[in-house]
Every structure is written in C-alpha cells, then in structure tokens.
Amino acid sequence: MASAMRSLIEDDSRYLKSFKLFLERSTEHQCVQEFIHNVLPDILGSVGKGKTHLNVIGVGSGAGEVDLEILSELHSRHPGASVDNEVVEPSAQQLQDYKALVLQKKDLDYISFNWNKMTATEFEERWRANKMSKEADFIHMIQMLYYVKDPEATTSFFQSLLSKTGKLLIILVSGNSGWGKLWKTYKNQFCNPEISQCVTTADIQSFLDSKGARYQSFELPSQMDITECFTQGDEKGELLLDFLTEVLEFSKTASPELRAEVMELLRHPDCSVESNGRVMFNNNLGVIVLDGHP
C-alpha cells in the first residue's frame, strides 16, 4: 500500500459511516436475509440432532441483526433446545448496539449471550491458551474473513471446533463479483498487508478443494448503486469509494492516475451495469457451508 494511503479500518467512525451507506445503497442485507429464511433452515435442521443444548459462535457479529435472525431460525428448527451464543466482535460500538438490540427483543430466554470484545485471532489465541474443549454446533462468519491475517488458517481453526453434526457458514463477496475484479486488479495498491482484506469465496473454495474438504456453495445475486461515486466531491460518493477500495479518503490520497483507472474499472461491464442513468455495481455474495470433521 502506498505510504500516503491508509486503510479505512484505521478510522472506526468513517468505516462505520461508509458501511452504513453501503448497506443503504446495496441489496446486501436483503439477499443475506433471503438466504437465512429460505435456504439456511434446512441446513440448521441437521445440526446438533437430538441435543437439548446447542453451542453457537458468531464471528464478526457486528450489531447483531443478522445473528438474531439466524438464532430465530435455529430456534424454530430446535424449539426445545437452549442456546449458548458466543459473540465475537472487536468494535465496542457494534457490541453496544447488539446488546441494546437484545434488550429490545422478547422471547430470547432460551439464549445465553457471552460477549467477547475481540478479533477472531484474539478469540482463537484465548481458546487455545485455555485449552477449551467445548464443541460448536453452528458457527457463522459473515463478511469477516477480510479482517484476518490468514483466512485459510482461520477457517481451519473454526472448522476444528465443530461437533460431528456441526456446520460452519461463511459468507463473503463472490469471486464473480465486481469486488473480485477490482481486488484482482488493484490488490497491491489497496490492500493492507497486515490483513487479508481482498479475499473472495473463490479463494476459500480453492483452498478447500486443495484439501479435499466437503462443502456446499451458493451464489447470492446482489447489487450496489454507486452512481454518486462519479460526482467528484460528493460526500456520499467519497464514502462509497472509500468502502469499495478500503482506503481512507481514497480520492484525496490516491494519485490522479490511480483514481482515474479505478473510476474507469468501476464503470466497466466486468464490475457494473448501467440502467436508468444509475451505475449498479455487481455486489454478488458467495456462501460456503462446511461440515464438522468426521
């Protein structure tokens, strides 16, 4: 990464602002929710068969909206089971929002929440240090493998925590998305070498295939309206550009040449389609569901 360009995650408040705008401008949440309500229930039906107590780990849980929807589907499939839910989230603000959401909700008596304000790596280190032997029935890592140093090692570690009938759910941007094209082209310019950042489901699948691992995969069509990115100086457009590149104040810190190239690629049919005067970026997601080790 060029010295003038800093990673967006170094500024928590700008990151959260750009992330919220991304959710407003994209169909990200809708496509994940459709998956959770239409496809995931069958997957959840086969976890922890016959158990009266289920262990769940949410890694990178954010403010908890998606977690609670997953837990609701799990409860409808296993109505008699109590749930121990480990929440792993490094952002104090997101964790606070999650706790506030739990207080608003009724009918969560069957869940006990364990709050872990830490990264996935810190959680792994603590787990190993304490020689924990608890097995997980369901683990989900949604849009978080960008923030670890070694996504393959993190995947392997969390898979190793699964019970025989356990499942690990991973959701990331698809290798076929605009993100895949953008990152493949500018990985060296954008990406923070301390974390994986530019990783797609294609990378994880290639790693799993090399190990001969068994998994299911799904593609979730999604798009994001990035029209404002093409109006220089537009506040929302600049925030979205920061989110797309994962670079703090991208327009101000990137060279004019790099900025021009990135804007051209964002408009390219490999990344976006234009319709009714709007530029719609391909935000497709990929889903991988891994089984516990036999």
Side-chain angles (χ1 to χ4, degrees):
M1 205 166 176
S3 55
M5 299 206 303
R6 290 166 54 212
S7 174
L8 178 60
I9 59 168
E10 290 179 32
D11 184 331
D12 198 41
S13 80
R14 189 165 174 91
Y15 173 81
L16 285 175
K17 247 175 153 168
S18 65
F19 177 60
K20 281 177 178 156
L21 185 62
F22 158 70
L23 290 180
E24 283 169 27
R25 290 289 185 274
S26 72
T27 58
E28 170 105 356
H29 259 182
Q30 296 90 305
C31 78
V32 170
Q33 281 170 338
E34 277 173 31
F35 174 80
I36 288 169
H37 299 306
N38 301 332
V39 182
L40 190 60
D42 284 345
I43 293 165
L44 293 173
S46 67
V47 308
K49 281 222 168 100
K51 287 188 180 177
T52 56
H53 183 77
L54 298 170
N55 291 321
V56 175
I57 304 175
V59 191
S61 288
E65 299 100 329
V66 174
D67 282 36
L68 292 185
E69 289 191 34
I70 289 172
L71 289 164
S72 170
E73 292 294 352
L74 182 67
H75 186 53
S76 65
R77 281 300 173 124
H78 304 273
S82 59
V83 173
D84 185 71
N85 184 40
E86 295 279 354
V87 177
V88 182
E89 171 54 53
S91 163
Q93 181 60 56
Q94 296 272 66
L95 218 46
Q96 198 179 318
D97 292 348
Y98 193 155
K99 289 177 181 177
L101 189 62
V102 168
L103 289 174
Q104 289 166 25
K105 298 274 182 186
K106 294 180 173 60
D107 310 325
L108 295 181
D109 314 351
Y110 65 96
I111 309 173
S112 63
F113 289 90
N114 306 312
W115 307 101
N116 301 279
K117 185 194 167 296
M118 57 184 70
T119 63
T121 306
E122 289 163 344
F123 182 80
E124 178 178 345
E125 283 164 1
R126 194 186 67 177
W127 192 280
R128 290 187 191 281
N130 294 339
K131 297 187 169 57
M132 301 281 283
S133 58
K134 185 168 80 169
E135 289 188 325
D137 299 292
F138 187 67
I139 301 174
H140 54 89
M141 306 196 299
I142 298 174
Q143 294 288 46
M144 59 66 60
L145 280 174
Y146 317 110
Y147 307 109
V148 300
K149 180 89 175 165
D150 186 338
E152 286 90 359
T154 299
T155 299
S156 295
F157 167 71
F158 282 101
Q159 187 188 15
S160 77
L161 305 187
L162 293 175
S163 65
K164 276 201 174 89
T165 57
K167 301 278 184 190
L168 168 60
L169 169 73
I170 295 169
I171 299 183
L172 284 172
V173 295
S174 160
N176 302 318
S177 66
W179 298 97
K181 181 68 180 170
L182 189 62
W183 289 343
K184 210 174 267 182
T185 312
Y186 293 109
K187 184 168 185 159
N188 295 336
Q189 288 94 320
F190 293 165
C191 291
N192 177 349
E194 293 306 306
I195 51 177
S196 54
Q197 206 166 9
C198 299
V199 63
T200 70
T201 45
D203 300 313
I204 302 300
Q205 282 174 278
S206 151
F207 159 69
L208 294 172
D209 291 342
S210 73
K211 287 201 326 174
R214 282 181 28 236
Y215 62 88
Q216 291 171 275
S217 62
F218 307 86
E219 186 93 359
L220 311 183
S222 173
Q223 49 182 203
M224 163 167 59
D225 187 337
I226 60 167
T227 313
E228 289 148 309
C229 292
F230 298 92
T231 305
Q232 198 157 355
D234 182 283
E235 189 191 348
K236 288 182 173 169
E238 299 297 344
L239 275 172
L240 285 173
L241 261 182
D242 283 14
F243 194 78
L244 282 160
T245 59
E246 292 275 346
V247 171
L248 184 62
E249 304 276 10
F250 174 74
S251 278
K252 292 179 185 166
T253 57
S255 69
E257 296 77 21
L258 177 61
R259 189 183 186 283
E261 284 175 27
V262 168
M263 300 315 290
E264 190 181 340
L265 181 62
L266 285 174
R267 249 201 158 110
H268 192 278
D270 283 347
C271 284
S272 302
V273 293
E274 296 197 37
S275 71
N276 303 323
R278 312 298 296 174
V279 183
M280 306 305 288
F281 182 76
N282 179 330
N283 185 55
N284 285 9
L285 301 180
V287 178
I288 296 170
V289 181
L290 268 165
D291 294 334
H293 289 292

